[in-house]
Amino acid sequence: MISKLPILSILTFMLTFWLSPNSQEKKKIIFFGDSITAGYGISLEEAFPNLIQKKIDSLGLNYEVINAGLSGEASAGGLDRIDWILQGKPDIFVLELGGNDGLRGLSIQETEANLKAMIDKVRQAKPSTKILLAGMQIPPNLGQEYTESFRKVFAKVAKDKKVDLIPFLLENVGGEEDLNQSDGIHPNRAGHKIVAETVWMYLEKYVK
């Protein structure tokens, strides 16, 4: 997958955010993920993290959302760049990585280790950060055994690391033709609205 935004643009955006006076007054929610978080194929404003921001603003809550999604990112890539991201000292961290691992048939053991290592890094950077792990599922192209093992790895990580889990980020969206782009993988605008509703169900208790 090709990144929707150059890495430099993402880093520039985030650095500007962290240094702005307004950002210091608000608590931070970092969405750390791949093309789904980044809003591949649609504008950043239409991606589910920004829809979460609009929900937060409508409720008058003192949180600022940072979209740290990068299209094409696998869990190993996320582990490589997370230290820089965590300089933002998030109050809430939503981890949405691993989907590309499954689509590429990468080692489930490595995916598990990478997800756990990222959670550890978040806690090392700021122990009070609330962590929400987004689960993912993949089509059975690589065989039922791999598909099922991949599905279960997110619940295992959440249990072992004692973090809350969104069982399936694309609940009511995955596999629905009218809610996805032509590739059948990435949600369209309507799909992102449903994803935002799903995420909010689990995120709401942290921000209220």
Side-chain angles (χ1 to χ4, degrees):
M1 300 177 189
I2 300 175
S3 174
K4 186 176 187 294
L5 290 175
I7 294 178
L8 182 59
S9 296
I10 295 174
L11 299 185
T12 301
F13 165 76
M14 296 180 67
L15 184 59
T16 301
F17 174 84
W18 290 335
L19 295 179
S20 68
N22 184 57
S23 72
Q24 304 305 315
E25 299 171 1
K26 293 189 175 184
K27 294 181 179 180
K28 298 185 181 73
I29 304 174
I30 290 182
F31 284 86
F32 189 63
D34 52 34
S35 54
I36 297 177
T37 292
Y40 178 88
I42 62 174
S43 69
L44 278 175
E45 288 72 25
E46 297 167 317
F48 79 86
N50 193 62
L51 300 181
I52 294 290
Q53 180 71 76
K54 290 179 178 178
K55 179 72 172 179
I56 287 171
D57 292 345
S58 72
L59 295 171
L61 301 173
N62 193 41
Y63 283 88
E64 193 84 21
V65 168
I66 301 171
N67 186 332
L70 183 62
S71 293
E73 187 93 289
S75 63
L79 184 57
D80 285 341
R81 72 181 175 107
I82 195 171
D83 288 333
W84 198 94
I85 299 296
L86 290 174
Q87 292 181 42
K89 301 293 183 183
D91 297 279
I92 301 172
F93 191 89
V94 182
L95 178 56
E96 183 271 307
L97 281 173
N100 285 316
D101 297 41
L103 292 175
R104 298 169 188 171
L106 302 182
S107 164
I108 291 175
Q109 290 74 23
E110 285 188 27
T111 300
E112 178 182 345
N114 290 336
L115 291 173
K116 287 181 174 180
M118 285 185 276
I119 290 170
D120 288 341
K121 283 180 174 290
V122 174
R123 286 176 168 158
Q124 289 165 8
K126 187 175 180 181
S128 63
T129 299
K130 304 297 184 183
I131 303 171
L132 183 57
L133 176 64
M136 187 55 64
Q137 298 177 24
I138 57 171
N141 303 34
L142 299 174
Q144 193 60 41
E145 182 178 353
Y146 181 88
T147 301
E148 186 64 14
S149 296
F150 178 81
R151 182 185 66 81
K152 290 179 178 178
V153 73
F154 296 93
K156 184 177 188 303
V157 171
K159 180 179 179 181
D160 290 350
K161 288 299 176 180
K162 296 180 173 58
V163 300
D164 282 345
L165 174 71
I166 302 172
F168 183 31
L169 182 68
L170 300 180
E171 187 71 39
N172 299 320
V173 175
E176 299 295 332
E177 185 176 353
D178 59 336
L179 296 175
N180 287 277
Q181 299 175 48
S182 58
D183 59 13
I185 297 174
H186 296 95
N188 57 24
R189 296 177 183 86
H192 270 270
K193 290 179 180 179
I194 296 175
V195 173
E197 292 172 0
T198 298
V199 173
W200 182 251
M201 286 173 54
Y202 297 88
L203 184 66
E204 183 178 11
K205 68 178 181 181
Y206 293 145
V207 300
K208 286 190 173 179

